[in-house]
């Protein structure tokens, strides 16, 4: 009788243990500046990216990978070097900024060119801010380069991945890295009205979980107006007042 009871309990423990290992990290983030490949897709600057356009922050996989898509099949476009990704023209010292749409304790951040790690920044096991910036010296890697940025989470086996295409040292790189909305014009608009895509309220007017928002969409929440800073699909818990990386108050 004792043997029949003990074996099911052991089996139950094994199932619980396996579920704990398989659970994904409750954190999300990506490099927004200079724009990573997923940022370019989210901004609509590279067409036909598929699902990554709506969740650039979700490129999550086991630690130790060296791919742009973390081995996720429906994000495979990020690993396709033949797509003609725009390369941002930069100097030899580059500041990378992560947008952390959900924050999580951090082991470190790593930066790779090819198979070489060119920089590492200790996270100390602490929870990062909504944005985190690192300045990396790429003076030894002139010309066009693909930099792999990795955010290693401290209390899970997972990491987040972003590939950034650069023209190091300048010389005909690509678009400027700023994803900020264009400043208002200083002179009256021409007779034909200018497009208002960055100004009208998002569909429905009120912030809604489950809805995809683009840069510049405007919503209301709690009696206040907010403008979208980064393209994303809204989730419960990502309300505008609590996610300054995604929304700025108008």
């Amino acid at each position: 009788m004792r043997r029949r009871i003990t074996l099911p309990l052991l089996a139950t423990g094994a199932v619980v243990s396996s579920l704990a290992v398989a659970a994904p990290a409750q954190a999300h983030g990506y490099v927004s500046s200079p724009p990573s490949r997923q940022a370019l897709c989210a901004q609509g600057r590279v067409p036909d990216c598929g699902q990554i356009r709506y969740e650039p922050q979700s490129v999550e996989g086991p630690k130790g990978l060296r791919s742009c898509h973390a081995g996720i099949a429906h994000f495979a476009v990020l690993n396709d070097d033949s797509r003609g990704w725009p390369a941002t023209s930069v100097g030899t010292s580059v500041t990378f900024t992560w947008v952390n749409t959900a924050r999580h304790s951090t082991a470190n951040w790593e930066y790779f060119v090819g198979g070489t790690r060119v920089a590492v920044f200790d996270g100390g096991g602490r929870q990062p801010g909504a944005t985190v910036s690192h300045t990396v010296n790429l003076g030894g890697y002139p010309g066009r380069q693909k930099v792999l940025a990795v955010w290693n989470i401290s209390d899970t086996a997972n990491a987040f991945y972003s590939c950034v295409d650069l023209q190091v040292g300048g010389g005909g790189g690509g678009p400027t890295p700023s994803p900020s909305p264009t400043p208002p014009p200083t002179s009256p608009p021409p007779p034909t009205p200018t497009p208002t895509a960055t100004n009208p309220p998002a569909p429905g007017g009120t912030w809604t979980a489950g809805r995809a928002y683009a840069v510049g969409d405007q919503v209301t929440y709690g009696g206040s107006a907010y403008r979208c800073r980064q393209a994303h699909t809204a989730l419960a818990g990502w309300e505008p007042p609590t996610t300054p990386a995604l929304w700025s108050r108008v």
Side-chain angles (χ1 to χ4, degrees):
M1 188 69 177
R2 179 180 302 167
R3 187 169 179 178
R4 284 187 218 154
I5 295 173
T6 301
L7 288 176
L9 287 174
L10 288 173
T12 301
V15 170
V16 172
S17 175
S18 66
L19 288 174
V21 171
Q26 298 303 310
H28 299 82
Y30 66 104
V31 174
S32 64
S33 179
S36 59
R37 290 183 175 184
Q38 56 255 60
L40 291 168
C41 288
Q43 294 165 17
R45 293 164 63 184
V46 174
D48 304 322
C49 290
Q51 186 63 26
I52 193 61
R53 178 180 180 184
Y54 305 105
E55 45 182 322
Q57 71 281 352
S58 298
V59 185
E60 177 185 10
K63 293 175 183 174
L65 300 179
R66 294 294 177 265
S67 63
C68 301
H69 69 314
I72 302 172
H74 55 278
F75 295 158
V77 63
L78 299 176
N79 220 44
D80 184 359
D81 292 337
S82 69
R83 293 274 297 184
W85 300 98
T88 302
S89 184
V90 296
T92 56
S93 181
V94 185
T95 298
F96 296 88
T97 298
W98 288 80
V99 170
N100 304 322
T101 57
R103 293 174 282 172
H104 202 78
S105 56
T106 301
N108 58 34
W109 291 268
E110 298 178 290
Y111 294 85
F112 295 86
V113 174
T116 302
R117 188 173 75 174
V118 295
V120 60
F121 298 87
D122 184 27
R126 296 180 297 273
Q127 186 182 51
T131 61
V132 175
S133 295
H134 307 118
T135 299
V136 178
N137 184 355
L138 294 177
Y141 301 89
R144 181 169 180 125
Q145 300 293 346
K146 179 176 69 177
V147 177
L148 172 64
V150 183
W151 176 22
N152 291 303
I153 308 307
S154 66
D155 54 2
T156 77
N158 290 347
F160 288 83
Y161 297 85
S162 283
C163 277
V164 185
D165 295 278
L166 302 175
Q167 184 73 27
V168 180
T176 56
S178 174
S180 304
T182 302
T186 56
S187 58
T192 302
T194 55
T196 57
T198 60
N199 295 321
T206 302
W207 181 90
T208 305
R211 188 182 299 278
Y213 291 104
V215 173
D217 284 350
Q218 188 167 309
V219 299
T220 57
Y221 184 86
S224 298
Y226 296 86
R227 183 172 290 114
C228 182
R229 299 179 60 189
Q230 299 288 338
H232 66 285
T233 298
L235 299 176
W238 291 11
E239 291 79 7
T242 62
T243 52
L246 298 178
W247 297 98
S248 59
R249 189 168 178 175
V250 178

